[in-house]
Amino acid sequence: MRLTLNTDFSLRVLIHVGLCGGKLTTISDIAQSFGISKPHLMKVVNHLSQNGYLETVRGRNGGIRLMREPRDINIGQVVRDTENQLDVIGCLERRGYCPIERACVLRSALQDATQAFLAVLDAHTLADLIKPQRVLSSLLFDRRVSLRHS
């Protein structure tokens, strides 16, 4: 299964914000850490805040932080909330024509595969993804500092 860039960026935002340990961070900081455009991240952050993952604080000293503890953010649910279409392939039935519609084992097998994929993600939380905190922090935050001085 291939996830969209929106989901990729959503997970990266959550990882970055989760590593901040409740302190505010900014979209600019995340954009620098991952090399992602700020306008795209603004859409991602807005979506994550509307879905109850992020708190946004406006103003000069504003930023974003997690609304929940990392252990309470399920990765499978994040994927479900960010992906519009989880089907592995488009089905001909939706296009109004499928000659094997009633006996389509392929569709059933692919639906099972999608559910298995999501079940694996359901077994992980954001806390699992940020567990190597020291290594991740040094990679993300040191990169941001070195980019500023370049």
Side-chain angles (χ1 to χ4, degrees), residues 62-86:
I64 55 176
R65 66 177 148 228
L66 294 177
M67 277 186 95
R68 304 181 229 167
E69 291 295 319
R71 70 177 175 269
D72 297 329
I73 298 176
N74 182 275
I75 300 307
Q77 189 58 52
V78 172
V79 169
R80 286 179 187 88
D81 289 343
T82 57
E83 285 293 322
N84 292 327
Q85 186 72 31
L86 282 170

Side-chain angles (χ1 to χ4, degrees), residues 16-131:
H16 190 285
V17 175
L19 288 170
C20 292
K23 295 179 185 155
L24 290 173
T25 190
T26 66
I27 290 173
S28 294
D29 290 341
I30 298 168
Q32 281 186 327
S33 291
F34 290 112
I36 302 170
S37 77
K38 285 174 30 177
H40 195 99
L41 280 178
M42 289 172 71
K43 293 176 189 174
V44 169
V45 166
N46 183 46
H47 185 263
L48 290 170
S49 67
Q50 288 177 349
N51 281 284
Y53 296 106
L54 296 177
E55 174 188 8
T56 58
V57 178
R58 294 186 181 266
R60 194 178 97 145
N61 295 318
I64 55 176
R65 66 177 148 228
L66 294 177
M67 277 186 95
R68 304 181 229 167
E69 291 295 319
R71 70 177 175 269
D72 297 329
I73 298 176
N74 182 275
I75 300 307
Q77 189 58 52
V78 172
V79 169
R80 286 179 187 88
D81 289 343
T82 57
E83 285 293 322
N84 292 327
Q85 186 72 31
L86 282 170
D87 293 340
V88 176
I89 61 171
C91 186
L92 292 174
E93 180 184 355
R94 287 194 202 117
R95 296 185 191 117
Y97 170 74
C98 184
I100 60 169
E101 175 184 347
R102 282 185 258 155
C104 188
V105 177
L106 174 62
R107 181 175 48 178
S108 176
L110 293 175
Q111 286 172 340
D112 291 347
T114 300
Q115 292 308 312
F117 176 80
L118 290 169
V120 170
L121 294 178
D122 284 338
H124 296 280
T125 67
L126 181 58
D128 298 325
L129 299 185
I130 63 173
K131 198 169 272 180

